Structures are given as structure tokens and as C-alpha cells.
Amino acid sequence: RVQAGQFSSAWEAMLQSWRADGPLGLFDAGKLSSQIIRDVPYAILTLVSYEVLQGLIHRFRATAAFSSDPAEDDKTRRPKVPRRKLDDALCGSLAGGIGSLLTNPMDVVKTRLMTSTKAGGSPQTVWSSAMSILRDEGPTAFLIGTPARLMHKIPANGLFFLFYELFRTMLGVNGTGN
């Protein structure tokens, strides 16, 4: 509600919500469920995309390593392909973009629920909010905010996965359960 200009600060928004709706006012009317419905698919899509992209890059680099000098290729063992930090950042950026793009419709619904005020009627649910947006504004309304969300999520995920892999390396975590 602060982002929508309804309040001047997060503290003011929280106090007003507490006074008007009680301690659970921040989570009613589908507000918490809309975040979960957005965030769980976002996390799944982003993590799976990252792993798939990393696998593609690894296979590409392994193929390139074999084809660089065919006379020395040993087809019985796979070459050790060094991990490149730029690959981690690029895969993370792309994965974040994919996850953000595919979950933006739910982000629109979540934002509408978070910024809606009770106007005498019953509060909207996730489903009724989505149907209202579709009916009143059309399907393209679910893309509102996509460029801004991508401008945030793409670099943020690039940095996240870059540091994620850096710390995995520093801590000796190899991903095989050891």
C-alpha cells in the first residue's frame, strides 16, 4: 500500500491495517495466499531453469573441450570442464527472467489484493481478483509491471546465483550429498 501511495510509510500502513483489521489484517483477503501462489511457482521455475541452463552450458563446454583437439580426445572419460563465474551469473539472470515472466500474472493479482481496500463489500479472494482483472481489463492486464519486475529480478538473480555458487565452492559443497 505504500508503493500504491495509500500510506507514506510502511509503519503507517501496518498501524492502519492493525487498527482496521486486527493483527491478521496483513494476511486476510487472499494476501498471504496470493504471495504463496506467486512465490512457490517462481522459486520452482527459477531453480529448475537455472539447473537446466547450467546443464546446457556444461554439455556445450564439454563438447567444445572434446572437439578442440580430436587427436587427443579420450572418449572413455569426460573432460573436467571448469565452472565459469560468468556462466553462473548469466544462467541465474536468465532463470530469474523466466521465473519472473511466467509468474507475473500472479504478481499482478497479489499486488491488487495487497493494495485493495475494503469498500463495504466482502474482500476479494485470489480467484475473484484474477477474474475481476480479466473481465475489467483484459488478459494484457496480467502483464502490467513486467518490465519493472524483470529489471529487478534479472540482475538480482544473476548476483544471487553467482554468490550461491561462489559460497558452495568456498564451503566445499559439491551437490552430491556429501
Side-chain angles (χ1 to χ4, degrees):
R1 292 183 182 179
V2 174
Q3 290 176 330
Q6 295 176 359
F7 298 102
S8 61
S9 70
W11 182 251
E12 180 187 348
M14 188 177 73
L15 286 176
Q16 178 59 32
S17 181
W18 183 282
R19 287 184 196 123
D21 303 321
L24 298 178
L26 296 171
F27 307 107
D28 68 348
K31 293 173 185 169
L32 182 61
S33 61
S34 66
Q35 283 189 284
I36 292 169
I37 292 170
R38 179 203 58 183
D39 291 347
V40 170
Y42 168 78
I44 292 168
L45 288 166
T46 301
L47 291 170
V48 169
S49 296
Y50 177 75
E51 292 297 329
V52 167
L53 291 167
Q54 282 286 359
L56 290 172
I57 283 184
H58 186 77
R59 277 196 298 278
F60 172 77
R61 293 213 187 283
T63 302
F66 272 130
S67 62
S68 63
D69 188 0
E72 294 184 19
D73 278 355
D74 180 359
K75 303 280 186 196
T76 62
R77 65 179 183 88
R78 297 185 60 82
K80 182 161 176 81
V81 179
R83 180 174 213 93
R84 296 184 179 176
K85 296 303 168 199
L86 181 60
D87 293 345
D88 298 336
L90 289 174
C91 288
S93 293
L94 285 170
I98 291 167
S100 296
L101 186 63
L102 295 177
T103 59
N104 200 76
M106 198 58 231
D107 190 58
V108 171
V109 173
K110 186 247 351 148
T111 302
R112 298 290 176 89
L113 284 169
M114 293 290 210
T115 58
S116 69
T117 56
K118 295 179 181 176
S122 61
Q124 284 196 311
T125 63
V126 171
W127 181 255
S128 66
S129 180
M131 291 297 101
S132 175
I133 293 167
L134 182 62
R135 180 186 62 249
D136 298 342
E137 302 172 58
T140 57
F142 291 108
L143 299 176
I144 291 172
T146 300
R149 191 163 184 240
L150 289 173
M151 287 189 323
H152 162 71
K153 291 291 191 178
I154 287 173
N157 277 277
L159 288 171
F160 169 80
F161 282 105
L162 173 70
F163 284 103
Y164 170 76
E165 295 295 351
L166 178 70
F167 280 99
R168 279 178 48 133
T169 301
M170 287 173 38
L171 297 171
V173 178
N174 63 12
T176 62
N178 296 330

